[in-house]
Amino acid sequence: QVQLVESGGGLVQPGGSLKLSCEASGFTFGNSAMSWVRQAPGKGLEWVSTIGSAGYSSEYADSVKGRFTTSRDNGKNTLYLQMNSLKPEDTAVYFCAKPPTYATGRKIYAPRGQGTQVTVSS
């Protein structure tokens, strides 16, 4: 059974940084592409980033490109999202998700974890 547990969220000031983690279990993490998605208050799920199984390929939504970096440690079964230059519009619940393939990462967001809240506010 796929289990994904996000952590690292919190309150940060605009311009600040935060690093999220996602611990994975129940599947072969090193063989799976992974994604980050987010949901702002009152809005639907928004794709943020997808990373390939080995970590060499990644892609980002235009809204976060150049500010966010996705990485992974396959030895620790952990996915990361480094978020820099945070803006109030980045406020959302952030989820890690396991898409069927790298190519479907932009559109398929399940299974996913319970999420971690990120609030960007002064």
Side-chain angles (χ1 to χ4, degrees), residues 38-120:
R38 66 186 182 183
Q39 186 167 26
K43 297 188 177 181
L45 288 169
E46 176 191 15
W47 172 75
V48 173
S49 175
T50 299
I51 186 169
S53 59
Y56 299 133
S57 300
S58 60
E59 50 186 17
Y60 300 88
D62 288 344
S63 59
V64 306
K65 198 173 295 182
R67 300 188 298 120
F68 289 12
T69 303
T70 296
S71 61
R72 62 193 297 162
D73 185 335
N74 286 347
K76 295 182 178 180
N77 285 1
T78 303
L79 177 72
Y80 302 101
L81 182 65
Q82 177 67 48
M83 304 184 296
N84 299 328
S85 302
L86 282 161
K87 305 175 181 180
E89 51 263 45
D90 294 318
T91 294
V93 178
Y94 284 73
F95 303 88
C96 63
K98 179 187 174 302
T101 64
Y102 181 81
T104 58
R106 287 176 178 255
K107 296 184 178 181
I108 299 178
Y109 311 144
R112 60 181 178 270
Q114 294 300 305
T116 186
Q117 175 70 48
V118 172
T119 302
V120 185

